[in-house]
């Protein structure tokens, strides 16, 4: 926490968790997609569905998917902007279960180049957010630093291979998480790193045996590879 | 970030630096930025506060339709010279309404410390600057004082209505603004801390009970009481009136009261004003409107 979380952020109201957090979730999802989103199925859980409409959670999510930041006064016009941008969407309620954060949303996104992404994310207070699930794989990351998400076969050596590459490029790993669907099934490796990973290296990783999918969250715009 | 006002004051004594510098330098360390960079950033926050007040439009309404036009009504009464409150307080009240209702109407604001309490600091600081023609530079220093107080509250208690009720949002904003005003009026560190303690004490126990869970009722009008309370608390402290309970202990009290509060009155929209017949009637009407859309 720093002083500008006390005096700040600059944001469009009315709620840091329900509005600013929603915009950030939309924006983060768009960056994970790395392409323009043409269709979105949005499901709101808990307090997001209960008071989301009055707080502009729905418009915030759409605004974020369109690339608006949480201080953009056009958030209020997000539905019109979506129409202009050719983004079709539906917004419904859902129940993500008792373990889900009260301010959670599940989204199915499709990009203009045909890519799809399923994401569950939560707004955890003060405008901070957390991704909780990507393509049915559990994970926890904030999107505050470059993040590599690798879906891979659950077998020895996968993490070693990724970390060797990062060592070679002198990239420090800030956090690391692992999860798997079943033994010898699919596993997901989430690494938050201190420096950007080069697009060429991401491409190389994607073609390694055992790697099923690479998703990368860049802090720089237009530098995403999937 | 400092976890007690006492420690900030001790650091001031030890280093001979002012309250504002101690808070500012601590942030420089934390974020690895120079003093000039951090001050520049705070200038931007102050500019945004000014902009959020200026951009008010009395014709605008919130999504729910519950909020809008209040500051316009107050302005009419001010212009008709009908206000019981004096000139300064009247202007503070108007600005608190302007900024807080901008928040409810999805306009840009500075969350300070939260979006729900965003009207308090601008109301007090912008009015002070208008009246005394203070330089922006000094207003920014006052914002650092406010941020230092807010930081301590965040460490010892919280700034979240969901965690500790409205006392943690409007109460904290008011304590921060009171300290900032005491600083602007030339109060020493002790006076700053007493202004903060007096302001927070007055709002201890305040429930977070918004109608429909929306940051509208009673939030917008509570910004007015938070701002006015900051002015009167600063005046008390500057007159030499002391809080017999030290500021850090008042903050701890806020935390313990927050822990005693039922979750019904902590931003859930279940208890308090949210459970009144009037609130329920409005919610029922609102649901039908959503269905018909």
């Amino acid at each position: 926490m720093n002083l500008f979380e006390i005096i700040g952020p600059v944001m469009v109201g009315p709620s840091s968790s329900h509005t600013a957090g929603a915009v950030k979730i939309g924006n983060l999802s768009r960056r994970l997609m790395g392409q323009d989103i043409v269709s979105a199925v949005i499901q709101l859980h808990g307090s997001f569905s209960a008071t989301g409409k009055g707080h502009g959670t729905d418009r915030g999510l759409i605004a974020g998917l369109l690339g608006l930041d949480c201080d953009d006064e056009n958030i209020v016009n997000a539905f019109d902007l979506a129409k202009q941008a050719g983004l079709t969407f539906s917004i419904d309620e859902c129940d993500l279960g008792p373990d889900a954060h009260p301010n959670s949303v599940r989204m199915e996104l499709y990009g203009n180049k045909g890519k799809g992404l399923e994401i569950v994310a939560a707004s955890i207070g003060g405008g901070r957010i957390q991704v909780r699930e990507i393509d049915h794989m559990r994970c926890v990351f904030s999107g505050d630093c470059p993040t590599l998400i690798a879906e891979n076969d659950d077998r020895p050596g996968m993490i070693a291979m990724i970390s060797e590459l990062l060592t070679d490029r002198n990239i420090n790993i800030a956090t690391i998480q692992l999860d798997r669907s079943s033994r010898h099934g699919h596993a997901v490796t989430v690494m938050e790193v201190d420096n950007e990973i080069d697009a060429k290296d991401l491409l190389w990783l994607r073609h390694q045996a055992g790697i099923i999918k690479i998703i990368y969250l860049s802090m720089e715009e237009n530098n995403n590879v999937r | 970030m400092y976890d007690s006002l006492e420690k900030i004051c001790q650091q001031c004594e030890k280093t001979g630096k002012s309250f504002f510098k101690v808070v500012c330098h601590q942030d420089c360390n934390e974020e690895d930025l120079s003093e000039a960079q951090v001050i520049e950033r705070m200038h931007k926050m102050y500019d945004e506060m000014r902009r959020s007040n200026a951009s008010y439009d009395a014709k605008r309404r919130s999504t729910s339709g519950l909020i809008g036009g209040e500051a316009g009504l107050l302005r009419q009464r001010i212009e008709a010279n009908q206000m019981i409150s004096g000139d300064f307080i009247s202007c503070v009240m108007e600005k608190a309404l302007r900024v807080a209702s901008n928040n409810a109407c999805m306009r840009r604001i500075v969350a300070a410390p939260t979006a729900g309490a965003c009207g308090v600091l601008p109301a007090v600081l912008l009015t002070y600057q208008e009246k005394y023609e203070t330089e922006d530079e000094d207003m920014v220093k006052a914002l650092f004082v406010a941020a230092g107080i807010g930081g301590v509250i965040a460490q010892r208690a919280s700034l979240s209505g969901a965690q500790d009720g409205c006392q943690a949002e409007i109460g904290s904003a008011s304590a921060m603004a009171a300290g900032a005003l005491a600083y602007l009026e030339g109060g020493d560190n002790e006076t700053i801390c007493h202004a903060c303690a007096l302001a927070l004490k007055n709002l201890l126990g305040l429930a977070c009970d918004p109608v429909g869970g929306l940051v509208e009722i009673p939030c917008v009008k509570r910004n007015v009481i938070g701002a006015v309370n900051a002015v009167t608390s600063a005046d008390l402290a500057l007159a030499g009136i002391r809080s017999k309970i030290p500021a850090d202990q008042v903050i701890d009290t806020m935390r313990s009261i927050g822990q005693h509060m039922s979750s019904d009155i902590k931003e859930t929209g279940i208890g308090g004003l949210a459970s009144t017949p009037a609130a329920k009637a409005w919610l029922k009407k609102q649901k039908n409107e959503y269905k018909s859309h």
Side-chain angles (χ1 to χ4, degrees):
Chain A
M1 198 161 200
N2 67 56
L3 281 193
F4 297 95
E5 289 171 74
I6 310 283
I7 307 292
V10 178
M11 56 166 273
V12 160
S15 160
S16 55
S17 53
H18 285 71
T19 324
V23 178
K24 280 194 193 166
I25 289 173
N27 216 312
L28 173 88
S29 307
R30 179 179 157 275
R31 287 189 290 139
L32 281 171
M33 287 282 285
Q35 52 185 256
D36 287 341
I37 298 161
V38 291
S39 124
V41 178
I42 298 173
Q43 294 175 308
L44 303 172
H45 164 88
S47 175
F48 257 16
S49 72
T51 67
K53 189 146 194 152
H55 277 134
T57 304
D58 44 6
R59 286 185 269 188
L61 286 164
I62 297 295
L65 291 177
L66 292 168
L68 271 60
D69 281 328
C70 56
D71 65 347
D72 194 320
E73 291 199 320
N74 257 325
I75 290 168
V76 74
N77 307 318
F79 292 165
D80 291 336
L81 294 175
K83 212 174 267 174
Q84 285 164 28
L87 164 63
T88 58
F89 61 89
S90 65
I91 301 177
D92 279 306
E93 294 179 7
C94 71
D95 185 357
L96 295 171
D99 294 337
H101 188 281
N103 291 330
S104 289
V105 58
R106 185 181 166 280
M107 296 194 283
E108 276 173 49
L109 306 171
Y110 302 94
N112 61 345
K113 293 169 195 157
K115 283 175 189 170
L117 176 74
E118 280 190 49
I119 183 168
V120 174
S123 177
I124 59 169
R128 279 168 301 156
I129 60 167
Q130 247 176 22
V131 176
R132 296 291 181 90
E133 214 180 288
I134 280 192
D135 291 340
H136 304 287
M137 293 287 195
R138 275 178 300 173
C139 56
V140 179
F141 65 94
S142 64
D144 290 336
C145 41
T147 308
L148 177 73
I149 303 130
E151 265 181 51
N152 48 264
D153 293 339
D154 182 35
R155 67 180 202 203
M158 300 308 294
I159 295 162
M161 179 184 67
I162 299 170
S163 61
E164 254 172 51
L165 171 75
L166 296 179
T167 310
D168 191 57
R169 300 294 186 267
N170 201 25
I171 293 172
N172 187 47
I173 299 170
T175 72
I176 183 165
Q177 299 151 41
L178 306 166
D179 193 28
R180 65 179 182 188
S181 54
S182 64
R183 197 170 178 184
H184 306 308
H186 279 195
V188 66
T189 307
V190 179
M191 287 181 183
E192 291 183 296
V193 292
D194 288 339
N195 310 89
E196 293 285 350
I197 304 173
D198 202 80
K200 280 196 303 255
D201 291 333
L202 292 169
L203 211 62
W204 177 85
L205 259 184
R206 202 164 59 177
H207 290 108
Q208 296 313 297
I211 295 281
I212 299 155
K213 184 149 67 177
I214 292 286
I215 302 174
Y216 179 62
L217 177 72
S218 168
M219 293 297 104
E220 297 155 9
E221 281 281 319
N222 305 320
N223 189 31
N224 291 351
V225 174
R226 277 195 78 196
Chain B
M1 199 157 276
Y2 286 94
D3 63 4
S4 90
L5 285 166
E6 203 184 331
K7 277 185 196 161
I8 296 180
C9 293
Q10 281 167 356
Q11 186 68 10
C12 292
E13 262 177 50
K14 211 171 94 188
T15 58
K17 288 185 203 159
S18 66
F19 194 109
F20 127 76
K21 279 249 157 143
V22 165
V23 172
C24 172
H25 287 174
Q26 208 270 339
D27 196 64
C28 293
N29 284 340
E30 214 154 293
E31 299 196 79
D32 199 19
L33 294 170
S34 71
E35 185 184 314
Q37 282 172 314
V38 173
I39 288 176
E40 169 67 22
R41 243 173 118 181
M42 200 58 100
H43 263 283
K44 282 198 183 125
M45 294 298 153
Y46 192 60
D47 287 342
E48 282 290 344
M49 286 184 179
R50 188 181 281 137
R51 203 204 51 80
S52 71
N53 174 58
S55 72
Y56 176 75
D57 179 352
K59 292 194 285 292
R60 215 173 269 139
R61 293 292 176 271
S62 65
T63 311
S64 71
L66 287 171
I67 288 297
E70 293 83 359
L73 290 174
L74 197 73
R75 168 84 342 230
Q76 285 172 20
R77 187 171 164 82
I78 292 170
E79 279 173 10
N81 281 320
Q82 289 172 325
M83 292 291 285
I84 302 168
S85 308
D87 182 37
F88 189 91
I89 292 288
S90 298
C91 289
V92 165
M93 292 166 71
E94 186 196 0
K95 289 192 183 70
L97 285 177
R98 287 169 72 98
V99 177
S101 67
N102 267 352
N103 180 59
C105 298
M106 294 189 81
R107 308 309 293 174
R108 205 160 83 204
I109 51 91
V110 183
T114 61
C118 69
V120 175
L121 273 163
V124 165
L125 294 179
L126 295 170
T127 306
Y128 186 91
Q129 190 178 30
E130 269 172 27
K131 185 159 162 70
Y132 297 101
E133 295 176 357
T134 320
E135 298 289 332
D136 273 11
E137 202 185 327
D138 292 318
M139 302 312 296
V140 168
K141 287 179 186 171
L143 267 184
F144 276 103
V145 172
I149 294 168
V152 170
I153 299 176
Q155 299 293 314
R156 296 182 88 88
S158 86
L159 300 168
S160 143
Q163 223 166 324
D164 286 323
C166 188
Q167 54 170 0
E169 298 210 21
I170 292 292
S172 299
S174 192
M176 291 159 67
L181 273 182
Y183 168 80
L184 284 167
E185 278 289 287
D188 59 11
N189 291 348
E190 201 193 333
T191 307
I192 291 171
C193 294
H194 281 287
C196 161
L198 290 167
L200 190 56
K201 280 202 293 191
N202 292 341
L203 296 170
L204 285 179
L206 201 58
C208 179
D209 51 356
V211 172
L214 305 177
V215 193
E216 301 194 3
I217 295 177
C219 322
V220 170
K221 290 152 207 149
R222 273 199 192 148
N223 275 266
V224 174
I225 200 59
V228 171
N229 177 57
V231 179
T232 57
S233 300
D235 265 336
L236 288 174
L238 287 158
I241 297 167
R242 292 310 183 224
S243 169
K244 301 293 187 287
I245 314 295
D248 287 330
Q249 292 179 33
V250 176
I251 297 168
D252 293 344
T253 305
M254 182 179 98
R255 176 81 196 107
S256 82
I257 291 176
Q259 282 168 334
H260 280 102
M261 278 181 175
S262 150
S263 70
D264 285 4
I265 49 170
K266 289 199 273 195
E267 214 184 317
T268 48
I270 296 171
L273 292 171
S275 68
T276 55
K280 283 179 182 160
W282 174 81
L283 280 174
K284 205 173 156 191
K285 188 168 150 254
Q286 192 79 352
K287 263 197 191 128
N288 290 336
E289 272 174 28
Y290 282 161
K291 263 184 209 155
S292 66
H293 277 172

